[in-house]
Amino acid sequence: MALLSDPSTPADDAPSPDDEAARPKSFSAILHQLAGDVTRERIQVADLLAAMKDRAFGALIFIFAMPNVLPTPPGTSAILGIPLLFLAAQMAFGQTPWLPKLIAGRSMLRSDFAGMIAKASPWIAKAERMLKPRMTVLSTPLAERLIGCFCLVLALVLAMPIPLGNMLPALALCVIAFGILEKDGLWISLGVSIGIVSLFLVTGVIYAIIKSAIFVLAKLFS
């Protein structure tokens, strides 16, 4: 006769409480936790830096790049591009992520932060379902330094006042950031590909602007 198992004994394949505790929280869970923390009146950049710990590079690159994926008021990209320059340079040099107090101390109302997260949450959740550790050769320290150099170039482009020239570099940075967060080399390579396309397009826009300016000046002084 088959022996009855003790119902108090957990199944072998069931995750133990220790496993659940050891598993790092997802990016979206951390954002929702900050947004729902009623003890805070405002959310500082430093709060995100502290909450994400060793995943701060990916998290902060995403936070500062995300608003530029959609059309924004003139000057927004230049303001948000400055922290991206700091973060990308630190990645390139293999440093621990940090931001000057002037940037780390910047804050927004928790209610505004919660509203922003609520709008972005469905997209973040969809991305997280597709992310998983793979192609880990792109997550090695050397690879991250090279990716940091590329992100630095994208951040420089993002900070430039180019009409509609910020959306693709910002999208590339967001995709790369997700890849860094979950050590997903496929997403990192996809973000790099988008970034290369964006650099070609931005170069074309700059070339067209220069050519137009030369043409106008030639007409004025001919």
Side-chain angles (χ1 to χ4, degrees):
M1 185 175 66
L3 295 175
L4 295 176
S5 61
D6 184 355
S8 64
T9 303
D12 291 340
D13 57 350
S16 68
D18 291 339
D19 291 338
E20 291 292 333
R23 186 179 302 165
K25 289 184 179 179
S26 66
F27 180 43
S28 58
I30 292 173
L31 292 179
H32 280 295
Q33 183 178 352
L34 283 172
D37 187 354
V38 295
T39 62
R40 302 174 187 266
E41 183 179 348
R42 304 184 71 86
I43 303 293
Q44 290 187 336
V45 173
D47 296 331
L48 285 166
L49 190 63
M52 294 307 302
K53 299 178 182 176
D54 59 333
R55 294 187 292 167
F57 275 132
L60 291 176
I61 287 174
F62 178 82
I63 290 293
F64 286 114
M66 180 184 63
N68 292 287
V69 174
L70 299 174
T72 54
T76 303
S77 61
I79 295 171
L80 296 175
I82 294 173
L84 287 170
L85 290 171
F86 273 97
L87 293 166
Q90 288 162 25
M91 269 189 69
F93 286 102
Q95 297 179 347
T96 303
W98 67 274
L99 289 169
K101 188 175 180 180
L102 181 64
I103 298 174
R106 297 295 295 271
S107 66
M108 63 189 303
L109 288 171
R110 185 185 61 82
S111 56
D112 293 340
F113 180 79
M116 182 181 73
I117 297 306
K119 291 178 181 178
S121 185
W123 300 99
I124 296 175
K126 285 180 181 179
E128 285 180 333
R129 285 195 291 269
M130 293 185 284
L131 289 160
K132 61 181 179 180
R134 53 189 159 183
M135 295 172 60
T136 52
V137 67
L138 295 177
S139 299
T140 61
L142 176 59
E144 286 198 355
R145 287 192 178 195
L146 295 174
I147 292 164
C149 292
F150 186 70
C151 288
L152 183 59
V153 174
L154 291 176
L156 285 168
V157 172
L158 191 63
M160 295 170 64
I162 303 170
L164 300 178
N166 305 314
M167 297 169 67
L168 266 183
L171 176 61
L173 285 168
C174 287
V175 175
I176 291 171
F178 270 128
I180 293 171
L181 276 167
E182 299 297 332
K183 298 189 180 300
D184 192 330
L186 180 61
W187 273 61
I188 291 173
S189 59
L190 176 61
V192 170
S193 299
I194 295 172
I196 291 171
V197 171
S198 72
L199 292 178
F200 275 109
L201 292 177
V202 168
T203 301
V205 170
I206 294 174
Y207 177 76
I209 291 173
I210 293 173
K211 289 284 288 184
S212 299
I214 292 173
F215 177 79
V216 170
L217 290 173
K219 285 292 183 180
L220 286 174
F221 293 100
S222 61

